[in-house]
Amino acid sequence: GGAAGSAAEDGAPPAPERVLFPPTFSVSEIKNKQRRHFMFLRWKQQQRKEKLAAKKKRRKEREALGDKAPPKAVPKTIENQREYDETTVDPNDEEVAFDEATDEFAPYFNRQTVPKILITTSDRPRGRTVRFCEQLSTVIPNSHVYYRRGLALKRIIPQCIARDFTDLIVINEDRKIPNGLLLSHLPDGPTAHFRMSSVRLRKEIKRKGKEPTEHVPEIILNNFTTRLGHSIGRMFASLFPHDPQFIGRQVATFHNQRDYIFFRFHRYIFKSEKKVGIQELGPRFTLKLRSLQKGTFDSKFGEYEWIHKRREMDTSRRKFHL
């Protein structure tokens, strides 16, 4: 009070008060677009500074404590906060081992059959789908591409079985873009229907390697943890021959993350005894399981093991099925 009084007596103007935004204020309330953008950038910059300062402070504390420093906190992600699924497979489960020893893929894993794949398309495919099928056939050994012209799948399947094909892959398209994949294991099923997205052909991939060779690739299956995931993983595994030719240095990866299956095809390059690099060969695509059906494809009378029902199943972002 005394200081304010003395300032008034001296005739000096009073100091302007600092204007504080109300606690509920948000940048989006600013009507002027340029001002709003400027304030948002300032806010982001402040956030970055605070984050960096906190990081430096933590690092100094860890260096000061040395060996007594507490372990680093694991960041929370949707994956590690995943809701427990009661069908998660235990590797030592006898029931799972028995099921896998007697399922439709057992002859493949017991080395009694050699994979022979037929790749076909929806009726009268366009150029992009045709090129995708051709490139997919260079990834999967012993695969043959045939184009459908008005022939129903129910007529194709008996012909495939008669010619000793073990699997049928159908690539569907919409508006000239591949958007679906049907995978049917022959002769007794099961049949999986996937939605396909993010298709990239070889010429669209940056820093791609040379064309793939005819060597049998290795196969990597990541994060297929539930009973349903195991079935899908075994379906993918049975497309490739048993013994990979390591001299080809090629690897096909099916990586499941949040029920999206990412496919990549790489070649690894030994730069030295300790350093290894990889180069992508292509194609690449993403799959999302829509249904798993018992037996071969039958849209009318087929019995479904699993169907993705969005309204019922997608109630939580932390619930995954594969």
Side-chain angles (χ1 to χ4, degrees), residues 5 13 30 38 50 79 103 121 127 184 187 208 215 284 291 305:
I30 300 171
F38 171 73
E50 287 173 8
E79 282 81 12
D103 69 1
T121 60
S184 187
K208 62 183 180 293
H215 296 95
R284 69 160 73 157
S291 65
E305 287 184 42

Side-chain angles (χ1 to χ4, degrees), residues 91-152:
N92 303 318
D93 193 329
E94 291 180 6
E95 185 187 344
V96 174
F98 176 76
D99 286 351
E100 290 184 352
T102 55
D103 69 1
E104 299 91 339
F105 308 106
Y108 163 80
F109 287 98
N110 296 336
R111 297 173 180 264
Q112 294 168 0
T113 59
V114 177
K116 184 181 178 186
I117 319 298
L118 177 73
I119 300 174
T120 186
T121 60
S122 53
D123 199 20
R124 290 181 175 79
R126 300 302 180 99
R128 187 173 171 78
T129 306
V130 169
R131 288 194 297 276
F132 175 70
C133 291
E134 287 169 354
Q135 292 182 15
L136 191 61
S137 69
T138 62
V139 172
I140 304 172
N142 200 20
S143 57
H144 308 264
V145 180
Y146 291 100
Y147 300 112
R148 279 167 67 190
R149 283 179 175 77
L151 196 61

Side-chain angles (χ1 to χ4, degrees), residues 169-207:
I169 296 175
V170 183
I171 306 295
N172 295 315
E173 69 172 11
D174 180 42
R175 297 175 189 169
K176 306 182 185 179
I177 296 171
N179 74 332
L181 184 144
L182 186 91
L183 173 56
S184 187
H185 186 70
L186 306 175
D188 302 316
T191 299
H193 187 201
F194 301 92
R195 190 177 79 228
M196 182 188 283
S197 59
S198 306
V199 176
R200 293 284 179 274
L201 302 179
R202 281 200 185 108
K203 69 175 185 179
E204 298 161 359
I205 295 172
K206 293 179 182 178
R207 294 184 288 280

Side-chain angles (χ1 to χ4, degrees), residues 2 7 17 23-24 43 48 55 69 87 103-104 170 178 214 240 251 254 267 277-278 286 303 308-309:
E17 292 182 27
T24 56
W43 177 77
R48 274 198 297 271
K55 196 174 179 181
T87 65
D103 69 1
E104 299 91 339
V170 183
E214 293 183 0
F240 294 82
V251 56
F254 292 92
R267 177 186 290 126
I278 59 171
T286 305
E303 183 186 345
H308 182 229
K309 296 176 181 174

